[in-house]
Structures are given as structure tokens and as C-alpha cells.
Amino acid sequence: MPPPARTNHKLTGMALYVGFDSSTQSLSVTIVEVAGDLRRIVFEHTLVFDDELPGYGTAHGVRVSDDGRTVVAPPAMWADALDRTAGIITDSGLDLSQIRALSGSAQQHGSVYLRAGGETALASLDPSLPLAGQVAPLLSRDTSPVWMDCSTGAECRALAEALGGDAALARLTGSRAYERFTAAQIRKFATRDPEAYARTARIHLVSSFMASLLAGRDAPLEPGDASGMNLMDLAARQWSSAALEATAPDLASRLPPIAESWTTVGELAPYWRRRYGFGPARVIAWTGDNPSSLIGLGLFEPGQLAISLGTSDTVFGPIARPVHDPSGAGHVFGSPAGGYMGLTCFANGSLARERVRDAYALDWGGFSALLERTPAGNGGALMLPWFVPEITPAVAHADMHRRALDAADAARNVRAIVEAQAMAMRLHSRWIVDRVGVIRATGGAAANAQILQVIADVFAAEVVRIASGNSAALGAALRAFHGDRFAAGDPVSWEEAVAGFTDPTPQPHIRPAPSHVAAYATLLREYEAFESRMRSSA
Ligand code: XUL
């Protein structure tokens, strides 16, 4: 059963802004109403790919190769989800003529490959036919490599070598060469399938592909998502010709331009207006899910920190200058508000928590109860939760370890994975901000107060949530509002754009318990040593 849509029908007929989030496992939409100081979310819906679109054969939204290293998803599925979600919005009872602008966010790094003529075809899609069947023939590659892919080690080494080493690449683009980043993925495609690469006229990120579908024309990239490619000169916020040349032949002509994040891509294409009855709303450039969450959580001041607990777990916050993680594990991205953000990403997020939950036949209620029953510090028991190859720290092969932890002890294993994830986040986010007073939590698992308590204790910081469960889709709706006002010549500041949407919820904040903080100060050092020992023995 799809989750029920949430609609607030008592509308005042003022401006509506639509924000999508095309994530790994689902497409969500959040619609906000803005009428002066009255600001509220009027509609939220999530379409889960595996449940609603089983014909695409994905598990958790992706297809994984037998060795677990190649991970792809079909772009036609994302288009299908957008089409169906437009229908669901139409059925919501909202007055579509009040929609002023739409924007979105998408899982980062994934790339979509279009043949020549794709842009013309996008402009003239037939509104009497579903979208997916019209998009499939435009693709020069029917699947997209996504952020979970880790099959491009050789390409990363070649790129780093061509560009003066990993440290130089990080200074230029914000990150050392990463397997999931788009440069390595494009290089792999161009070398392994040169004919299909030659047939490719345009390479989009998932974000700019989805914006192109809405606008019926090629959308630009923007610095938030383009900085996840190892191809953008971070200081100039434009393509680096050296990085492009090191990646694949004639790449410059295949990439869209990079524009400001608040750029209007165009008006909503005739397909959406005729098929669903939308008006001539503006389409604002889409960004990556993490940069979008930065806006949806209202984070603009350096020193603030957010934790997103989703398919991937991420820790991120605004930074004043593009300082780099000395360990090489983190990324500097452009912030969609201008400036920069630091981010550290963990591949073993919600699917790893689910692995432990399922191994002991628990539901989330049972998982939380066990977490509550076990002591902070777990009596010294430790886990390294690398159920799949890990991004941070870099671990090439799935490699789960226990220390002083009985595999049969469900309660301690539950606590061990949550503590491990929190300690890894703390250790690998110091370069973004060393000590933080308040952490904003988002993502599915942020609903779990017991998990947030561990995070509060490990970081010695208060943890707060915002009313919307989906900060990426909310950020997209607020970016639509900001971009619309900018285009209309009546701009609003970012603080004004998010006001009334991103304040912490009044429900009790989660405060660190002093005795737990002391326990983790010791355990953190042990975890760090265990992590580095097991990595070097791998
Ligand atoms: C960030 C990353 C993931 C994806 C997930 O670098 O790879 O957080 O954006 O959607």
C-alpha cells in the first residue's frame, strides 16, 4: 500500500510551491503555501519505487551486480514516478493554477545519458501518452550508475594521476577521486562502451534530467550537485577543462552549462499542462538531495551541523571557505544558497540498520526497545558495520567486524550498530565543525528518538528535528519560492525564504546525558583505533 497522501484542504488560495525529491528508493513531493507570514506545508506524498513500479525490477530502488560493486537504476523509472506523482497532485484537490514554481532535488552523482535529438523530443512529448515510454527511446544508455556504485577504482586512479594526485584533485574540485562521482563513471562508460558514448549527446545528473523533463528542455546543472562530479572547478563554479579532458573525449560538448542554483530553467512544459492541467509555472533548477536538505533545514551559518539518516547517512553543514578534509574522506560542495558546504557520506546507513533489525527478526519498535535497554558504551562491545563497501572510511569490500560482541546477543548488536554509526559520524565530521551545540536531524530514521539519543550523547550536542520529515523535498519547495521571487524581480533573502518552515519542532529536544557523554569520550578513541586496525588489515 502506498503511504497516504497528506493534504490540508483549508487553503487560502495564495502562492503554492512544489518541491520533489527523487531519492534512491522513492520520489517524494512537498507542496508549501506562502501567503505573507502564513506559511505551511499543504501536501506531502511519497511513491516507493519497489512497491509502486515493480516492473522495473529494482530492490531498494536499484539493481546490484552479483559482486555488489556495480549499482544502477533505470531513468525511465524516475520519469514514470514523476508522471504518476503529477497525477497524484492533480487528484489532491489543490488549485493547480496557484502553483507558481516547481523545483526538486535528487540522489547525487548518478548520471543519465541522452541521444542526439533528446532536447527536441522533450519539448514535444505527447500528453496523451505516459512519460516513461517516450523517455526510454531518448536514452543512449538504459540504466544510470548511481551513488552506491563502487566499480570504478581503476578510473579513479587514472583521474587522480592525470590531475596531479588526490590532494590536487580535492583542491580543484572539492573531493579526491571517488568511485561514485560522475567523472569516474563517465570515464568507465566512455572506455568500456565507446560506441554508446559516441551516441551520447548529453550527460545529465539525475537532478538536471528531472528538471529537463519538467521544463521540456535541457536544464543546466548548478554548483550544489555539479560539485559531486570531480569535474567542477570549485572556486570558479564552472567546469574545469583539465578535469573534463582527463575524463573522456569531447566531454565539454556533452555537459549542460553550470548556472546559479536559483536559475529559472523555463516554464512547465506543455506535456504537464495538457496532461494534468497545471498552469504556466516556473521550473527552477534542481539540486542534489544533500544540498537541498541544507536549505530545508535552514542552515546558512558556518558552525551549524545536520545529520541525515537515510539510505546513506550524511553529516553536513555550511562552511565559510572551501577548506578540505585533511583525511581526504569528506567533500566540499557548493551550497545552493551560494558559498559552500562540507559533507561526509556513509554508505552503510539505513540498509545496514535494517540488516541488523532483520537478523534478529525485530520491527523498529523492538529495535528501539533493545536500544533503550542496553547501557551507553555497550560494555565496550564494538561493531564496524561495513555490510557493503564503505565510503567513509574507504573500505573496498563488505567487511563487518565485531569486538567483544556475541553475534547471538540481539540487544548488544542493535546498540553496537547505532553507536558505530554515530561514532563514525563524529570522527569523520570534525573537519566540518569540531564542536557543535545543536544538531539538526532529518531522514527516515530521525523519527527514532532512541537513535537520536545515541547521536546526542556521542556528539555531546542537543539534537532537534523540524516539522517536515523530508528536508530535501521541503528544501526544493523553498528553493522554488526563492527562485520564483528572484525571477519576478522581487527577491527574498534565504532567511526569509525558509522562515516558518525550518524552525525546530517544539517537542522535547534530545539532550546529551553527561554520564553517557563521558562513556563515549573513552569509547570513541577505542572505536577509532579499531577502525584503523581493521582497515589496514583488510
Ligand atoms: C552524497 C551521496 C548520497 C546520495 C544519496 O555524496 O552519495 O548521500 O546523495 O541520495
Side-chain angles (χ1 to χ4, degrees), residues 24 107-109 147 180 289-290 312 314 333 343 345:
T24 316
Q107 56 172 305
Q108 297 196 250
H109 318 296
W147 68 273
R180 70 192 192 287
D289 50 5
N290 294 293
S312 63
T314 53
F333 293 153
L343 176 136
C345 179

Side-chain angles (χ1 to χ4, degrees), residues 137-441:
L138 311 182
L139 303 170
S140 59
R141 185 182 184 183
D142 59 3
T143 56
S144 291
V146 299
W147 68 273
M148 296 163 90
D149 186 283
C150 51
S151 66
T152 58
E155 287 78 8
C156 285
R157 285 188 291 280
L159 285 172
E161 197 177 311
L163 291 160
D166 268 322
L169 189 55
R171 276 194 302 277
L172 176 67
T173 69
S175 301
R176 68 166 173 82
Y178 270 94
E179 291 172 311
R180 70 192 192 287
F181 274 43
T182 326
Q185 296 294 339
I186 294 173
R187 189 183 165 95
K188 177 180 162 188
F189 180 56
T191 44
R192 305 224 187 144
D193 196 350
E195 278 143 35
Y197 181 74
R199 280 199 305 274
T200 303
R202 184 55 86 219
I203 302 176
H204 276 293
L205 289 179
V206 184
S207 58
S208 58
F209 168 65
M210 300 295 273
S212 303
L213 294 179
L214 285 181
R217 58 187 300 187
D218 257 336
L221 298 185
E222 52 71 61
D225 217 14
S227 44
M229 301 173 84
N230 278 140
L231 292 174
M232 189 186 86
D233 177 330
L234 197 63
R237 296 168 102 86
Q238 287 303 327
W239 298 123
S240 153
S241 49
L244 262 47
E245 273 157 35
T247 300
D250 296 323
L251 183 52
S253 67
R254 290 177 165 84
L255 293 173
I258 300 175
E260 297 287 12
S261 300
W262 44 88
T263 299
T264 297
V265 180
E267 271 187 2
L268 200 56
Y271 176 84
W272 307 99
R273 295 165 62 182
R274 298 206 189 113
R275 186 169 171 84
Y276 296 109
F278 288 98
R282 287 192 175 96
V283 178
I284 306 297
W286 286 39
T287 187
D289 50 5
N290 294 293
S292 193
S293 272
L294 194 78
I295 306 296
L297 291 167
L299 298 182
F300 307 112
E301 293 298 321
Q304 297 176 314
L305 199 70
I307 287 183
S308 170
L309 303 171
T311 310
S312 63
D313 286 346
T314 53
V315 188
F316 54 87
I319 52 178
R321 282 170 294 110
V323 285
H324 297 280
D325 176 7
S327 81
H331 314 299
V332 182
F333 293 153
S335 159
Y340 297 95
M341 63 185 282
L343 176 136
T344 304
C345 179
F346 302 86
N348 283 282
S350 67
L351 299 183
R353 285 184 286 276
E354 278 172 27
R355 276 275 199 120
V356 172
R357 181 200 65 183
D358 296 345
Y360 301 100
L362 300 165
D363 57 15
W364 286 122
F367 186 93
S368 300
L370 292 185
L371 198 49
E372 217 161 17
R373 254 189 18 221
T374 39
N378 219 6
L382 287 178
M383 178 189 287
L384 294 175
W386 301 328
F387 291 93
V388 295
E390 181 49 71
I391 294 167
T392 311
V395 179
H397 300 279
D399 199 16
M400 200 274 269
H401 296 279
R402 294 187 175 89
R403 191 200 77 171
L405 176 62
D406 178 355
D409 186 338
R412 286 205 188 261
N413 278 272
V414 164
R415 178 158 280 277
I417 186 170
V418 175
E419 289 189 343
Q421 290 176 325
M423 288 192 284
M425 287 190 234
R426 174 102 169 91
L427 281 176
H428 300 289
S429 66
R430 283 179 172 149
W431 68 279
I432 304 173
V433 38
D434 187 25
R435 293 209 66 80
V436 61
V438 180
I439 294 171
R440 293 192 175 215

Side-chain angles (χ1 to χ4, degrees), residues 114-126 138 216-218:
L114 298 179
R115 295 168 187 271
E119 183 169 25
T120 321
L122 284 181
S124 51
L125 294 167
D126 182 345
L138 311 182
R217 58 187 300 187
D218 257 336

